[in-house]
């Protein structure tokens, strides 16, 4: 077996000369959500680590689902604002390909923060490790970071901590890069087009949400295959979602509804068109709306989650009963200040 610092053939000249493996934690996934922490591992052309950097970022708003990322308003209060870290982040991204797990999301959040600060992000290309795993045809049960890490024997120590997620991805990216080089696989590079203008949406009682479709717009239902997993029951607060849970949606969502439903189905959830006593949870950005779904959910005692919390939970859906989760080590001490190696 080859050492992962070597290749069986000359390194492809078309491959980039440097990478910036990035992970950001955010207040949510909508257009007006903000970055609350960021980490960058700089890698050379062969995927070897050069250094790393991590910082908290004050989002100047509610931190979102604290029970997922662990960053409270008190922790973030003294953190620098994004314009104060933009120069350091730029130095670490410049002249490198941005690498992330679901890179479209990380890039969109970074691009928006730069646009708010009236600065152009120095990123020309990005590479999504989900797309690379598909190009390599890796035998993964799903496309979560934990599954990619387990495939390459990388131990995930603290999920949803930007620095540890970036470390895990950097360690899993190097053997992926070498496998691509050995097999002559084209890297799935995409162009990054920075935002040059930004206009904040008017502040509303529910900051961070932007309507993805017009109210009362008609959308035809789609026939979906039956969920292969049994319903494990209702969602329990501060616990992960589990495959087989029945999820219903109500009202407008910041992410296109069909895309949100597709993500839920891909994660192994059952998308329900109505609410019943068997519904595991209802996702809505307006739990006080007098819709039939919210009223039924309240009468049945069905848990209700906002979209941002639900989309964060979608990152780590627990397998159905009988499946085995990748083993994780105890988490490292939390970092609350910017640092570099």
């Amino acid at each position: 077996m080859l050492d992962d610092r070597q290749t069986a053939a000359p390194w492809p000249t078309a491959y980039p000369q440097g990478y910036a493996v990035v992970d950001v934690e955010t207040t949510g996934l909508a257009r007006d959500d903000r970055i609350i922490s960021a980490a960058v591992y700089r890698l050379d052309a062969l995927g070897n680590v050069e250094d790393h950097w991590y910082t908290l970022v004050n989002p100047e708003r509610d931190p979102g689902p604290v029970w997922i990322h662990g960053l409270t308003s008190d922790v973030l209060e003294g953190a620098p604002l994004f314009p104060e870290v933009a120069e350091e982040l730029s130095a670490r991204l410049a002249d490198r390909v941005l690498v992330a797990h679901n890179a479209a999301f990380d890039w969109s959040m970074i691009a928006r923060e730069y646009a708010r600060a009236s600065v152009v992000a120095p990123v020309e290309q990005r590479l999504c490790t989900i797309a690379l795993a598909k190009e390599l045809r890796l035998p993964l049960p799903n496309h979560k970071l934990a599954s990619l890490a387990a495939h390459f024997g990388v131990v995930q120590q603290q999920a949803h901590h930007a620095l540890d997620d970036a470390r895990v991805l950097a360690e899993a990216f190097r053997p992926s890069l070498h496998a691509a080089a050995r097999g002559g696989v084209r890297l799935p590079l995409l162009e990054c087009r920075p935002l040059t203008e930004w206009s904040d949406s008017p502040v509303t009682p529910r900051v961070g949400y932007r309507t993805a479709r017009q109210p009362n717009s008609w959308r035809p239902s789609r026939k979906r295959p039956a969920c292969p997993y049994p319903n494990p029951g209702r969602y329990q607060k501060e616990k992960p979602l589990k495959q087989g849970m029945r999820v219903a949606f109500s009202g407008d969502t910041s992410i296109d509804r069909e895309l949100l439903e597709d993500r839920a189905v891909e994660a192994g959830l059952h998308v329900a068109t109505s609410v019943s006593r068997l519904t595991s949870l209802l996702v809505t950005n307006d739990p006080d709306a007098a819709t039939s779904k919210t009223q039924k959910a309240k009468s049945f005692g069905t848990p209700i989650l906002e979209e941002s919390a639900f989309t964060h939970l979608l990152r780590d859906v627990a397998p159905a009963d009988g499946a085995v989760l990748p083993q994780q080590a105890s988490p490292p001490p939390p970092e609350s200040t910017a640092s570099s190696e």
Side-chain angles (χ1 to χ4, degrees):
M1 181 176 180
L2 289 171
D3 184 275
D4 63 1
R5 291 176 179 265
Q6 301 174 358
T7 56
W11 201 260
T13 57
Y15 278 25
Q17 294 304 301
Y19 305 88
V21 177
V22 174
D23 186 77
V24 297
E25 293 300 318
T26 67
T27 60
L29 303 183
R31 177 183 182 273
D32 292 327
D33 275 303
R34 307 297 301 272
I35 290 175
I36 54 177
S37 67
V40 181
Y41 267 74
R42 288 196 291 191
L43 312 182
D44 65 17
L46 299 180
N48 301 317
V49 175
E50 296 178 336
D51 60 24
H52 69 260
W53 172 82
Y54 169 78
T55 186
L56 296 176
V57 181
N58 186 341
E60 299 184 282
R61 53 154 290 177
D62 183 274
V66 173
W67 62 91
I68 295 175
H69 51 62
L71 299 176
T72 64
S73 295
D74 290 341
V75 170
L76 297 170
E77 183 178 2
L81 303 178
F82 185 84
E84 298 172 324
V85 302
E87 183 177 355
E88 179 68 20
L89 179 57
S90 293
R92 295 177 177 277
L93 298 178
D95 302 319
R96 296 171 185 267
V97 172
L98 184 150
V99 178
H101 204 64
N102 189 11
F105 168 72
D106 292 82
W107 164 243
S108 66
M109 296 302 299
I110 290 171
R112 289 166 187 165
E113 290 288 6
Y114 271 100
R116 289 187 186 96
S118 300
V119 181
V120 176
V123 180
E124 295 183 358
Q125 290 181 307
R126 68 178 185 267
L127 187 156
C128 180
T129 47
I130 295 177
L132 180 56
K134 292 179 179 179
E135 290 285 343
L136 295 174
R137 294 183 172 84
L138 299 182
L140 305 178
N142 51 55
H143 294 294
K144 299 180 192 174
L145 177 58
S147 297
L148 182 65
H151 176 77
F152 289 112
V154 180
V155 178
Q156 192 172 25
Q157 297 177 329
Q158 191 174 2
H160 302 304
H161 186 292
L163 183 60
D164 192 62
D165 281 353
R167 174 193 63 81
V168 168
L169 189 57
E171 292 185 20
F173 175 64
R174 187 174 68 237
S176 298
L177 181 63
H178 285 246
R182 289 194 298 269
V185 174
R186 180 189 62 84
L187 296 182
L189 301 174
L190 294 177
E191 179 185 4
C192 289
R193 297 183 179 180
L195 297 175
T196 56
E197 296 181 1
W198 181 262
S199 176
D200 282 314
S201 300
V203 176
T204 66
R206 296 189 177 277
V207 178
Y209 295 106
R210 188 175 179 87
T211 302
R213 56 189 178 88
Q214 295 298 319
N216 301 321
S217 62
W218 181 80
R219 179 174 59 87
S221 60
R222 292 191 295 168
K223 182 69 175 178
R224 298 183 181 276
C227 181
Y229 309 109
N231 186 353
R234 289 181 173 175
Y235 166 73
Q236 298 181 43
K237 187 177 181 181
E238 299 186 5
K239 290 188 176 181
L241 298 171
K242 181 178 285 190
Q243 289 179 332
M245 283 186 170
R246 296 177 64 93
V247 182
F249 298 90
S250 178
D252 292 322
T253 53
S254 61
I255 300 174
D256 182 81
R257 175 68 69 81
E258 290 189 357
L259 176 60
L260 194 57
E261 291 179 354
D262 285 344
R263 289 181 178 179
V265 170
E266 183 178 348
L269 303 178
H270 175 110
V271 174
T273 57
S274 61
V275 174
S276 71
R277 297 183 186 277
L278 298 178
T279 304
S280 303
L281 73 156
L282 174 68
V283 178
T284 177
N285 288 329
D286 192 0
D288 296 323
T291 66
S292 60
K293 289 182 180 178
T294 55
Q295 290 177 339
K296 285 184 178 180
K298 290 177 180 179
S299 67
F300 295 146
T302 304
I304 298 176
L305 281 180
E306 292 190 345
E307 179 189 356
S308 62
F310 175 72
T311 50
H312 270 82
L313 289 171
L314 271 182
R315 297 181 181 182
D316 290 293
V317 177
D321 292 337
V324 179
L325 281 171
Q327 187 174 359
Q328 295 184 351
S330 57
E335 300 194 31
S336 58
T337 59
S339 63
S340 62
E341 180 180 75

